[in-house]
Amino acid sequence: MNISLIFYSISYVFSLMIKKKREPLQKELLQDQQNEIDAYYIYQSLAKRTKNNHNASILFSIASDEKNHYNILKEYTQKEVTPNKLKIFFFIFLARFLGFTFALKLLENAEQKAQDDYKTIGDSYPRLKEITRDEEKHERKLIDMMKEDRLAYIGSVVLGLNDALVELTGALAGFTFALQNARIIGVLGLITGISASLSMGASEYLSSSHEKHKNAGKAATYTGLAYVITVFLLISPFMIMKDAFISLTMTLGIAILIIAFFNYYVAVAKDFSFKKRFLEMAGISLGVAGVSFLIGVLVKSLLGVGI
């Protein structure tokens, strides 16, 4: 009797240990199940909204995969999960304003942890390997097959953005020490920037008109718009603040934020390295600003130009 009691106690303790081990795993599986049903509704919603039949068919295909993944996980959790409406709205909002390629790759990147989990526990839950195969190969390849103007002309955006950052931060830095009047510097920056944006747009039009795969008008528009938007952001501190040096400091901060945001966008959408591109663009922009500031010092001291 005592031996039976001992064996019962041991088996009971082991069952508790197994239960405790499975509880966190069940929690992770439920979270993964939540992500899959959310992704299903996101892909479905975007597929219905897009007018491009090619993109719509890809989105419907991925949505079907996500629903299948949800059903596989439901077999293990034995629970239904309701979609997270706020998350779905957020990604649809991102897709509308920043492009569906960026939004969907950001969504897939967020699911990377789940894929790592599936590899770890794949032996205990064999069907999770099926999800891993889809996520690693099928879905990302399908996303790369989608066609989107803002990514097709990303080179034009880079051209406009980079030129505006380098040229205008340099010009504003030079004007700041030479003139030291925030409002006048802002006006000069605006005139310089608008003129340069028209010149850049025209140059991109001429360059793209010789490339068969590009629409010259669209390329010029993307280049010009990127330049103009950057100009208004960079000169805004000079139009608001009275101190020219504080304005310049704020402008350089805005330039860093623009570079960080844009490079993060490209890194996600095009699978590039964020750190390398960010440091390269930031280094060039700040380097040119520093040299231009020194030129402004020389102009003021040698020529006596100032206000």
Side-chain angles (χ1 to χ4, degrees), residues 24 54 133 146 153 161 193 206 221 230 245:
H54 170 79
R133 283 195 299 270
M146 291 192 292
Y153 292 92
L161 189 73
L206 292 173
T221 301
T230 307
F245 291 97

Side-chain angles (χ1 to χ4, degrees), residues 273-287:
S273 167
F274 167 77
K275 185 178 178 181
K276 182 181 177 182
R277 292 173 63 88
F278 170 74
L279 292 175
E280 188 178 68
M281 281 187 73
I284 291 171
S285 295
L286 295 179

Side-chain angles (χ1 to χ4, degrees), residues 17-299:
M17 289 173 65
I18 292 168
K19 186 178 179 182
K20 285 183 179 180
K21 187 177 179 181
R22 283 182 176 176
E23 278 178 1
L25 193 57
Q26 280 289 103
K27 190 176 180 181
E28 288 178 7
L29 290 175
L30 276 170
Q31 183 57 58
D32 295 337
Q33 189 179 347
Q34 177 74 65
N35 292 336
E36 298 294 351
I37 197 64
D38 292 342
Y40 164 73
Y41 280 102
I42 291 167
Y43 283 113
Q44 276 277 350
S45 298
L46 293 177
K48 291 174 183 176
R49 291 167 188 267
T50 184
K51 296 177 182 178
N52 185 307
N53 292 332
H54 170 79
N55 291 337
S57 64
I58 290 173
L59 291 168
F60 277 124
S61 175
I62 300 175
S64 177
D65 283 345
E66 299 291 0
K67 188 64 179 291
N68 182 48
H69 299 165
Y70 170 82
N71 289 327
I72 290 172
L73 289 164
K74 189 171 73 170
E75 290 177 15
Y76 295 124
T77 63
Q78 295 297 306
K79 291 183 180 180
E80 289 281 357
V81 176
T82 55
N84 184 333
K85 292 182 179 179
L86 184 62
K87 179 181 175 182
I88 294 166
F89 171 80
F90 173 72
F91 275 97
I92 291 172
F93 174 84
L94 275 186
R96 181 171 292 181
F97 288 95
L98 295 178
F100 52 77
T101 305
F102 172 79
L104 297 181
K105 285 199 173 182
L106 191 65
L107 179 64
E108 291 295 320
N109 288 345
E111 293 182 358
Q112 185 60 49
K113 184 182 179 299
Q115 294 175 43
D116 295 337
D117 291 341
Y118 296 158
K119 290 176 183 177
T120 304
I121 62 177
D123 293 334
S124 302
Y125 300 90
R127 293 204 67 193
L128 295 184
K129 292 179 180 179
E130 182 181 332
I131 299 178
T132 305
R133 283 195 299 270
D134 284 345
E135 297 286 356
E136 286 185 344
K137 298 178 182 177
H138 186 55
E139 289 178 4
R140 291 196 72 92
K141 281 184 180 178
L142 287 177
I143 292 173
D144 287 335
M145 285 169 60
M146 291 192 292
K147 299 171 183 175
E148 189 172 20
D149 263 4
R150 69 189 74 196
L151 288 182
Y153 292 92
I154 199 73
S156 299
V157 175
V158 170
L159 183 65
L161 189 73
N162 193 55
D163 272 34
L165 286 167
V166 173
E167 291 177 14
L168 203 59
T169 51
L172 292 173
F175 292 155
T176 295
F177 201 88
L179 305 177
Q180 299 182 17
N181 184 306
R183 187 56 57 87
I184 291 175
I185 294 167
V187 171
L188 286 173
L190 179 62
I191 295 169
T192 302
I194 296 297
S195 300
S197 69
L198 294 173
S199 173
M200 283 299 303
S203 297
E204 179 65 3
Y205 179 86
L206 292 173
S207 174
S208 300
S209 62
H210 299 293
E211 299 179 34
K212 292 182 180 180
H213 65 283
K214 266 190 179 183
N215 181 309
K218 282 186 178 181
T221 301
Y222 276 110
T223 302
L225 276 177
Y227 204 115
V228 168
I229 292 169
T230 307
V231 166
F232 277 101
L233 289 172
L234 293 179
I235 68 163
S236 58
F238 290 93
M239 307 305 287
I240 298 169
M241 307 295 293
K242 291 183 178 180
D243 189 293
F245 291 97
I246 293 175
S247 299
L248 178 62
T249 302
M250 291 176 66
T251 289
L252 294 176
I254 290 170
I256 294 297
L257 289 175
I258 292 171
I259 292 168
F261 171 78
F262 178 74
N263 279 285
Y264 178 71
Y265 176 86
V266 174
V268 172
K270 303 285 279 184
D271 296 318
F272 289 158
S273 167
F274 167 77
K275 185 178 178 181
K276 182 181 177 182
R277 292 173 63 88
F278 170 74
L279 292 175
E280 188 178 68
M281 281 187 73
I284 291 171
S285 295
L286 295 179
V288 170
V291 171
S292 299
F293 189 84
L294 292 175
I295 292 172
V297 172
L298 291 173
V299 168

